[in-house]
Amino acid sequence: MSRAGLVRTAIVVAAVAALELAARGGLLRAGVAVPPSEVAAKLWSILRAGDANADLVETLGNVALACGLALVAGFSLGAVVHGLPRLRRALDPFLASYYALPFFAFYPVLIVVLGIGRLPIVAIGFMFAVVAMMVATLNGFDRIPRALPRTARVWRMGPVRTALKIKLPSAAPHLFTGIKLAVAYAFIGVIAAEFIMATSGLGYAIAYAFNNYDNRTMYALMLLLLGIVVVVNGVLHGAEQRLLARRRAR
Amino acid sequence: MTVRPLARPAAATAPHEIHARLAEVTRTYGAVGGRGGVHALGPVDIALRRGEFYSVIGPSGCGKSTLLDVLSGLSRPSAGAITFEGRPVDGAVPDGVGVVFQEDASFPWMTVRDNIGFGLRENGVDAAEIGRRVDAALALMGLRDFAAAHPPQLSGGMRQRVCIARTLVMQPRLILLDEPFGALDAQTRLIMGDELLRVWRETGATVMLITHALDEAAMLSDRIGVMSARPGRILAEIETGWPRERDSRIAADPGFGAVTSRLWGLLREESLRAIGAQAPAGADHA
Amino acid sequence: MTVRPLARPAAATAPHEIHARLAEVTRTYGAVGGRGGVHALGPVDIALRRGEFYSVIGPSGCGKSTLLDVLSGLSRPSAGAITFEGRPVDGAVPDGVGVVFQEDASFPWMTVRDNIGFGLRENGVDAAEIGRRVDAALALMGLRDFAAAHPPQLSGGMRQRVCIARTLVMQPRLILLDEPFGALDAQTRLIMGDELLRVWRETGATVMLITHALDEAAMLSDRIGVMSARPGRILAEIETGWPRERDSRIAADPGFGAVTSRLWGLLREESLRAIGAQAPAGADHA
Amino acid sequence: MPTRLLDTLLVLAVGLLAWQGVHWLAPDAVTSPAGTVARAAEMLASPRFWPHAGETAWAFALSLVFAIGGGLAIGLPLGLHRFSAEVGEPILVSLYSLPKITLYPVILLVFGLGLSAKVAFGTIHGLVPVAIFAMNGVLALPPVYARAARALRLSRWRTLAAVLAPAAVPEIVTGVRIGFSVTLLGVFIGEMFSSQRGLGFLLMNAIGLHDVPTMLAIILMVGAFAVTANAALLALEHRLHHRPA
Amino acid sequence: GEKVTVTHWGQLMYGAPYAVAIEKGFYKELGLDIDGVLTSRGGGTTMRNVMASDLPYGEVALPAAIAAANQGIDLAIVHTGVGTAGEILWVTPNASPIKSIADLAGKKVAFTSPKSVTEMLLIMVTDKHRIKVDGVAAGGIGQGVTLMQQGGVVATPIMDPVWARFEDKLKPVFWTKDELPAIVQTVGVTTRAFAKDNPDKLRKLIAARRKAVAFIYANPEEAAAIVATAYDLDKAVARRAVERLVALRYWSDGAFDQAAMDNMAKGLQIVGEISGPVDWSKLVDGSFL
Ligand SMILES: Nc1ncnc2c1ncn2[C@@H]1O[C@H](COP(=O)(O)OP(=O)(O)OP(=O)(O)O)[C@@H](O)[C@H]1O
Ligand SMILES: Nc1ncnc2c1ncn2[C@@H]1O[C@H](COP(=O)(O)OP(=O)(O)OP(=O)(O)O)[C@@H](O)[C@H]1O
Ligand SMILES: [Mg+2]
Ligand SMILES: [Mg+2]
């Protein structure tokens, strides 16, 4: 591990230890803070008993679906809008303030359109993620060096081949930023929708545990979620590094 | 080991056979609707002789890149005619023309080898032939040890060599280079210039080099077109009279000083005129 | 209107009075713990005479910027001693030394006028005096009409003039310039070079100019230090013998060709040696 | 630029048309644009609305101050110290992608109910992006600025205050703009759970009462506010990033 | 002034007595300075709000109080709030062929959320009629209506005042009051510490509420107007809702009904919320009534 990695690990470990001590020493209000060790133990027992499996599978499925749709739609929209500079300029102010909208409020509307169940949840995750991907695609296409498509013209390549074989790989690093954001946003959207509105899923399970004063389960599920987010981030980060490794100077 | 030549040997050329020509070419940008746009270039007349090494120098923004664009067919002139090998060039890059851009146009996601072979693959050349031509170009450009590397791992000079190699494997008969060494330091330019001279000699292609480095133009060219400030016109064409077998050591030739000082003279006036607005009178009586 | 001089007039100088000196200076980067780092520079010996215009040329990465860094006091040498006006330079920029960097260091959030006056304000010079000096610098650099503009509204050349002006108002007795015209085209460099010569004449300061453009060095300098590839050492110091009153027209002088071809000769070998590894044998028997 | 304004209006018109279309498809579940605007106007005219709007605005303003202040306090020092940035960045990024809604229970447990919880919730939303942008903004500063400051013999403190801080302003403003949006979202969500005043509370109430016109009117008002404020910040950002006239 | 906490204030009618008590000055008469109501969307959140607020007293759902007690929270139930779930009804669109509970067999029927009171009631009613329905968690009352309008379910639970707004579009399938015995929905809770330190204040809080309940039953029209203002409701809607709830004797004066409490505990066992009977003696403290 790098030196920075070691220091980071040390910081995290110290923070957890401090929390443990504070909780055990009664520094924090009982019922508010549960020692991390007990949370981990609770999570272990939940996982072993499989109590959270259904919710977990459902949430991960929702996120995957929302994210997959957002990536495809975001890239396509971005690519199309990039080719239409007037539309793009007109859209700019809306794209920039998009994330201030309280999407959850659309939930009742979404039920109308999509029915009850997972689809409105997925739709909220999708709405969260798609614009991030779209903006990243626009950025990526903006930063394609002018000389690259021109080179394609010198070789007399058609527009579709140019888009696929030149523009897409050239914009790849930015697209990857979009993918990372889209995954994070899909998570945020799906969990929030489950938390506020839904009747199943990990977000709901956390809200449910909260409502039932079951802090131990609540923290355990939050820990589970945190673990998933960190692992997913790590995997994406690793994939990005591999993708970019060859593109970086020595 | 012998390396195959990269271009078909030039046919025994009649002296001063015209290979490409710009006749009364002008280019105006963005004259949409009634509003007049930027008059970037011309009118310009240039007749490139087959097999010659022609350089274009001129102040920044005078229309050099625009000249290259219209000559290569990447954009259409606003007026005037362009011919290459007798046929009109009209909005598409003709077969037999290769372009090396000022910016680094190598593809960072491909190895050097794939970069060089990419154009050939896109144009349906068969794999064996691609392999042969790419190997030859790798050797010619001194890139053999870096065939499996990716461009970002190379120095700026080597990336520019990849772009040149990528153009050469297409066996162009006319090579257009737009300040290809602009990003390099003077010493590396020197080396690259010598390599370019060798390629030119060995392939027999016609070369048009756009540069802002006077000594580079003086050292490499058979003829140098000196352009005015925007809208760029050809102020003068200077014949160097160097032998075909030459390299940068020509700079030690007494004639070299004569050529460069003529160029300096021409450009000094032109630059002062172009920059005039930016260096107001106040600067003079300080 | 007369413009006040920007620097105190040089004291009547004894011939060849030494103004700044590097003695056996080396610089190694990142030799942390036991591992050896990059030996970037030296050992180098240079004695700058008061009031002379000294240029340094050398291949890319040879340690030119490192040389400037240690001489200016921006970083400490690994070994050797540096003196400026007889006092040791040690990890801080001494009063009387001005630096112009290769990169554009103008502050985009300030007007040109505020940029130029910034150093004076920070050093507690009184407002009236700042106004006088800044006005003089604006005039000298031909920036009077742009005093209220912000740097991003200016061309690259004009931004570099802002940086030079910002240094000049501090009335440095030694001005160090690190490829200040690197981003400009040859013609603009020409103009800027003439302006630099005028400033140098009028302020009487000692100038050290780092450049990779041979003709620039040949045209501007009293003396030129030619550096080897990394770790940079001084291969030779060439005296041009130009008169103090000169400008770029010196390029028409027959002596100019002699100076440049000497420089070319020295650098050609050095560049080939430095680049050797990158241009393997294969390139030769193509 | 008139064509640009026209295009934006055109996009807006298309959006409204789509909305009207959904209304025709499902009149019960989606109020028409006209109906929504009418309801919004009615609410704006009602004196009962303003204490709610004021509560949200106050909570939002406080959150924004804490988010920006805290974000800068964390981001700037990290940006100045490359190693700390290397250590801290992955932690910040993980926090950013953590669904913060799950922290709401903890916020409630710690801050109790009411303004402080809302503000805390808004703050944790906005703080991280501001910190990330501030950090990257400082990290990406051209090293030549610091060198120029040394060459002009500035002290460390003056280098920071007079050179590095202003140089990082455009990036910081970008971060503030992003932080603005998510802080608003955070405050709003906070109000949706546990609160007795504020627009989020009104929205949750409307959802509970199945009062569709009020629901959409609130979203419309918040959306309009967000777009307007963001457009202003965006204009500022453009000015700072391109700094020419 | 101080604030009491009431679940679903502004949405459901549990809060009517508090609105009246504040408006008519019943708190003031007893020397209490209550000028506002804290709330949340119900369940444990309201419960937590009670515990966290400056005045740890409020009316919460009985299941939330039981859950909190089971987690070791030191609370006391000091009075009954709403002693019936009779106001809850399942509705279907006017045009629907569904007429009775029997018609629901095998169909999709909504409840609000898993383990909620509505799920419990639905199970109890369908068990009673020995039919099976396909329960769907809609996420809330409003969502259930939307879902039904889209054909996702044939019937959905509703209650006043939402019901009063939809009366002309929807028709009842069954009312809980016709099917099940009384079930305590909400109770007044406080912390043991507060009860011990401020017994008089607690008594006054309960007394003021009791007076307000009596006022509602005596002056339904005026009470409806007060609620309409406090909840920002349409006057007619509020009047209809209050009238109906008055007829049902919806608001308890606070006294405990052991059987109605046990009914809730039974229901909670049915949906799996608790595993055994509740030991009320540990929870309930009737000494402040
Ligand atoms: N697409 C365009 N639209 C409008 N004006 C343009 C466009 N491209 C170039 N110009 C203008 O035309 C003039 C000539 O541009 P061109 O790029 O050909 O100059 P150049 O000589 O290649 O300059 P440089 O030496 O800086 O590369 C410039 O004034 C430029 O601003
Ligand atoms: N901070 C540093 N850490 C490690 N190595 C360095 C550092 N700065 C420079 N070097 C190395 O020291 C050598 C000399 O660098 P320097 O920047 O002085 O060269 P230069 O002659 O100015 O090059 P150029 O002409 O490209 O500006 C180079 O090999 C460079 O990679
Ligand atoms: Mg150009
Ligand atoms: Mg350098």
Side-chain angles (χ1 to χ4, degrees), chain D residues 141-163:
Chain D
L141 287 181
V144 74
Y145 287 159
R147 283 156 55 82
R150 285 192 59 205
L152 294 170
R153 303 157 58 80
L154 266 61
S155 67
R156 267 170 166 271
W157 162 245
R158 288 302 300 164
T159 302
L160 192 64
V163 178

mmCIF file of all heavy atoms in Angstrom, chain D residues 141-163:
data_model
loop_
_atom_site.group_PDB
_atom_site.id
_atom_site.type_symbol
_atom_site.label_atom_id
_atom_site.label_comp_id
_atom_site.label_asym_id
_atom_site.label_seq_id
_atom_site.Cartn_x
_atom_site.Cartn_y
_atom_site.Cartn_z
ATOM 1 N N LEU D 141 -3.766 24.625 -9.209
ATOM 2 C CA LEU D 141 -3.197 25.934 -9.499
ATOM 3 C C LEU D 141 -1.834 25.766 -10.152
ATOM 4 O O LEU D 141 -1.038 24.935 -9.732
ATOM 5 C CB LEU D 141 -3.014 26.732 -8.201
ATOM 6 C CG LEU D 141 -4.287 27.262 -7.566
ATOM 7 C CD1 LEU D 141 -3.925 28.039 -6.312
ATOM 8 C CD2 LEU D 141 -5.028 28.157 -8.539
ATOM 9 N N PRO D 142 -1.536 26.565 -11.169
ATOM 10 C CA PRO D 142 -0.209 26.482 -11.777
ATOM 11 C C PRO D 142 0.851 26.765 -10.726
ATOM 12 O O PRO D 142 0.747 27.777 -10.014
ATOM 13 C CB PRO D 142 -0.235 27.585 -12.839
ATOM 14 C CG PRO D 142 -1.661 27.886 -13.082
ATOM 15 C CD PRO D 142 -2.395 27.561 -11.812
ATOM 16 N N PRO D 143 1.857 25.914 -10.595
ATOM 17 C CA PRO D 143 2.891 26.130 -9.576
ATOM 18 C C PRO D 143 3.588 27.474 -9.760
ATOM 19 O O PRO D 143 4.157 28.020 -8.820
ATOM 20 C CB PRO D 143 3.876 24.973 -9.791
ATOM 21 C CG PRO D 143 3.226 24.029 -10.739
ATOM 22 C CD PRO D 143 2.079 24.707 -11.394
ATOM 23 N N VAL D 144 3.513 28.006 -10.980
ATOM 24 C CA VAL D 144 4.245 29.245 -11.245
ATOM 25 C C VAL D 144 3.704 30.404 -10.397
ATOM 26 O O VAL D 144 4.446 31.344 -10.106
ATOM 27 C CB VAL D 144 4.188 29.591 -12.748
ATOM 28 C CG1 VAL D 144 2.826 30.100 -13.155
ATOM 29 C CG2 VAL D 144 5.259 30.594 -13.107
ATOM 30 N N TYR D 145 2.438 30.329 -9.937
ATOM 31 C CA TYR D 145 1.926 31.416 -9.099
ATOM 32 C C TYR D 145 2.700 31.493 -7.787
ATOM 33 O O TYR D 145 3.085 32.572 -7.344
ATOM 34 C CB TYR D 145 0.432 31.227 -8.811
ATOM 35 C CG TYR D 145 -0.468 31.509 -9.995
ATOM 36 C CD1 TYR D 145 -1.748 30.997 -10.061
ATOM 37 C CD2 TYR D 145 -0.025 32.298 -11.052
ATOM 38 C CE1 TYR D 145 -2.571 31.263 -11.149
ATOM 39 C CE2 TYR D 145 -0.838 32.563 -12.140
ATOM 40 C CZ TYR D 145 -2.114 32.048 -12.185
ATOM 41 O OH TYR D 145 -2.918 32.305 -13.240
ATOM 42 N N ALA D 146 2.888 30.326 -7.173
ATOM 43 C CA ALA D 146 3.615 30.322 -5.908
ATOM 44 C C ALA D 146 5.066 30.763 -6.128
ATOM 45 O O ALA D 146 5.642 31.499 -5.320
ATOM 46 C CB ALA D 146 3.568 28.940 -5.273
ATOM 47 N N ARG D 147 5.638 30.314 -7.247
ATOM 48 C CA ARG D 147 7.029 30.689 -7.538
ATOM 49 C C ARG D 147 7.127 32.186 -7.780
ATOM 50 O O ARG D 147 8.078 32.846 -7.318
ATOM 51 C CB ARG D 147 7.547 29.912 -8.733
ATOM 52 C CG ARG D 147 7.918 28.452 -8.385
ATOM 53 C CD ARG D 147 7.872 27.523 -9.588
ATOM 54 N NE ARG D 147 8.691 27.960 -10.712
ATOM 55 C CZ ARG D 147 9.989 27.752 -10.815
ATOM 56 N NH1 ARG D 147 10.624 27.112 -9.853
ATOM 57 N NH2 ARG D 147 10.652 28.166 -11.859
ATOM 58 N N ALA D 148 6.148 32.718 -8.499
ATOM 59 C CA ALA D 148 6.164 34.161 -8.759
ATOM 60 C C ALA D 148 6.082 34.930 -7.447
ATOM 61 O O ALA D 148 6.776 35.929 -7.254
ATOM 62 C CB ALA D 148 5.007 34.540 -9.670
ATOM 63 N N ALA D 149 5.234 34.425 -6.533
ATOM 64 C CA ALA D 149 5.108 35.093 -5.244
ATOM 65 C C ALA D 149 6.445 35.082 -4.505
ATOM 66 O O ALA D 149 6.837 36.088 -3.904
ATOM 67 C CB ALA D 149 4.032 34.415 -4.406
ATOM 68 N N ARG D 150 7.156 33.962 -4.592
ATOM 69 C CA ARG D 150 8.454 33.906 -3.896
ATOM 70 C C ARG D 150 9.449 34.847 -4.547
ATOM 71 O O ARG D 150 10.250 35.495 -3.869
ATOM 72 C CB ARG D 150 8.998 32.480 -3.901
ATOM 73 C CG ARG D 150 8.272 31.583 -2.917
ATOM 74 C CD ARG D 150 9.007 30.270 -2.738
ATOM 75 N NE ARG D 150 10.354 30.463 -2.252
ATOM 76 C CZ ARG D 150 11.334 29.588 -2.455
ATOM 77 N NH1 ARG D 150 11.099 28.469 -3.144
ATOM 78 N NH2 ARG D 150 12.526 29.812 -1.979
ATOM 79 N N ALA D 151 9.392 34.906 -5.885
ATOM 80 C CA ALA D 151 10.321 35.785 -6.575
ATOM 81 C C ALA D 151 10.047 37.244 -6.232
ATOM 82 O O ALA D 151 10.948 38.070 -6.271
ATOM 83 C CB ALA D 151 10.224 35.565 -8.084
ATOM 84 N N LEU D 152 8.789 37.543 -5.891
ATOM 85 C CA LEU D 152 8.454 38.909 -5.465
ATOM 86 C C LEU D 152 8.628 39.067 -3.956
ATOM 87 O O LEU D 152 8.204 40.054 -3.377
ATOM 88 C CB LEU D 152 7.028 39.260 -5.872
ATOM 89 C CG LEU D 152 6.790 39.350 -7.387
ATOM 90 C CD1 LEU D 152 5.304 39.456 -7.708
ATOM 91 C CD2 LEU D 152 7.536 40.523 -7.990
ATOM 92 N N ARG D 153 9.213 38.063 -3.338
ATOM 93 C CA ARG D 153 9.578 38.097 -1.920
ATOM 94 C C ARG D 153 8.369 38.249 -1.010
ATOM 95 O O ARG D 153 8.409 38.983 -0.025
ATOM 96 C CB ARG D 153 10.611 39.205 -1.670
ATOM 97 C CG ARG D 153 11.864 39.058 -2.510
ATOM 98 C CD ARG D 153 12.624 40.346 -2.704
ATOM 99 N NE ARG D 153 13.022 40.957 -1.430
ATOM 100 C CZ ARG D 153 14.062 40.569 -0.723
ATOM 101 N NH1 ARG D 153 14.806 39.580 -1.157
ATOM 102 N NH2 ARG D 153 14.352 41.156 0.412
ATOM 103 N N LEU D 154 7.292 37.550 -1.312
ATOM 104 C CA LEU D 154 6.116 37.563 -0.434
ATOM 105 C C LEU D 154 6.286 36.550 0.697
ATOM 106 O O LEU D 154 6.908 35.506 0.508
ATOM 107 C CB LEU D 154 4.850 37.188 -1.235
ATOM 108 C CG LEU D 154 4.040 38.354 -1.805
ATOM 109 C CD1 LEU D 154 4.874 39.163 -2.790
ATOM 110 C CD2 LEU D 154 2.785 37.823 -2.484
ATOM 111 N N SER D 155 5.706 36.883 1.852
ATOM 112 C CA SER D 155 5.726 35.919 2.957
ATOM 113 C C SER D 155 4.773 34.776 2.623
ATOM 114 O O SER D 155 3.957 34.872 1.712
ATOM 115 C CB SER D 155 5.277 36.601 4.238
ATOM 116 O OG SER D 155 3.910 36.952 4.128
ATOM 117 N N ARG D 156 4.860 33.694 3.385
ATOM 118 C CA ARG D 156 3.985 32.554 3.184
ATOM 119 C C ARG D 156 2.518 32.975 3.262
ATOM 120 O O ARG D 156 1.699 32.566 2.456
ATOM 121 C CB ARG D 156 4.221 31.501 4.282
ATOM 122 C CG ARG D 156 5.217 30.461 3.890
ATOM 123 C CD ARG D 156 5.603 29.606 5.085
ATOM 124 N NE ARG D 156 6.291 28.428 4.596
ATOM 125 C CZ ARG D 156 5.693 27.310 4.267
ATOM 126 N NH1 ARG D 156 4.389 27.181 4.378
ATOM 127 N NH2 ARG D 156 6.386 26.282 3.810
ATOM 128 N N TRP D 157 2.250 33.779 4.289
ATOM 129 C CA TRP D 157 0.876 34.179 4.524
ATOM 130 C C TRP D 157 0.354 35.034 3.371
ATOM 131 O O TRP D 157 -0.745 34.839 2.883
ATOM 132 C CB TRP D 157 0.761 34.911 5.861
ATOM 133 C CG TRP D 157 -0.493 35.697 5.970
ATOM 134 C CD1 TRP D 157 -0.602 37.056 6.072
ATOM 135 C CD2 TRP D 157 -1.829 35.192 5.944
ATOM 136 N NE1 TRP D 157 -1.922 37.418 6.093
ATOM 137 C CE2 TRP D 157 -2.698 36.298 6.019
ATOM 138 C CE3 TRP D 157 -2.369 33.914 5.835
ATOM 139 C CZ2 TRP D 157 -4.075 36.171 6.005
ATOM 140 C CZ3 TRP D 157 -3.753 33.774 5.833
ATOM 141 C CH2 TRP D 157 -4.591 34.895 5.915
ATOM 142 N N ARG D 158 1.173 35.996 2.918
ATOM 143 C CA ARG D 158 0.738 36.843 1.816
ATOM 144 C C ARG D 158 0.605 36.012 0.533
ATOM 145 O O ARG D 158 -0.268 36.277 -0.296
ATOM 146 C CB ARG D 158 1.726 37.997 1.587
ATOM 147 C CG ARG D 158 1.683 39.073 2.652
ATOM 148 C CD ARG D 158 0.324 39.708 2.817
ATOM 149 N NE ARG D 158 -0.170 40.362 1.605
ATOM 150 C CZ ARG D 158 -1.435 40.705 1.416
ATOM 151 N NH1 ARG D 158 -2.338 40.440 2.344
ATOM 152 N NH2 ARG D 158 -1.809 41.285 0.293
ATOM 153 N N THR D 159 1.471 35.037 0.357
ATOM 154 C CA THR D 159 1.356 34.162 -0.817
ATOM 155 C C THR D 159 -0.011 33.507 -0.832
ATOM 156 O O THR D 159 -0.702 33.461 -1.851
ATOM 157 C CB THR D 159 2.459 33.078 -0.776
ATOM 158 O OG1 THR D 159 3.722 33.725 -0.736
ATOM 159 C CG2 THR D 159 2.377 32.181 -1.995
ATOM 160 N N LEU D 160 -0.412 33.026 0.331
ATOM 161 C CA LEU D 160 -1.701 32.353 0.441
ATOM 162 C C LEU D 160 -2.841 33.340 0.220
ATOM 163 O O LEU D 160 -3.754 33.114 -0.583
ATOM 164 C CB LEU D 160 -1.807 31.737 1.836
ATOM 165 C CG LEU D 160 -2.943 30.759 2.058
ATOM 166 C CD1 LEU D 160 -2.747 29.547 1.176
ATOM 167 C CD2 LEU D 160 -2.992 30.350 3.522
ATOM 168 N N ALA D 161 -2.780 34.469 0.910
ATOM 169 C CA ALA D 161 -3.915 35.387 0.915
ATOM 170 C C ALA D 161 -4.027 36.182 -0.373
ATOM 171 O O ALA D 161 -5.124 36.393 -0.880
ATOM 172 C CB ALA D 161 -3.797 36.336 2.112
ATOM 173 N N ALA D 162 -2.889 36.614 -0.910
ATOM 174 C CA ALA D 162 -2.949 37.540 -2.038
ATOM 175 C C ALA D 162 -2.821 36.831 -3.381
ATOM 176 O O ALA D 162 -3.160 37.397 -4.408
ATOM 177 C CB ALA D 162 -1.845 38.595 -1.898
ATOM 178 N N VAL D 163 -2.303 35.603 -3.391
ATOM 179 C CA VAL D 163 -2.083 34.937 -4.677
ATOM 180 C C VAL D 163 -2.893 33.647 -4.788
ATOM 181 O O VAL D 163 -3.751 33.515 -5.667
ATOM 182 C CB VAL D 163 -0.582 34.639 -4.891
ATOM 183 C CG1 VAL D 163 -0.373 33.912 -6.200
ATOM 184 C CG2 VAL D 163 0.203 35.945 -4.890
#
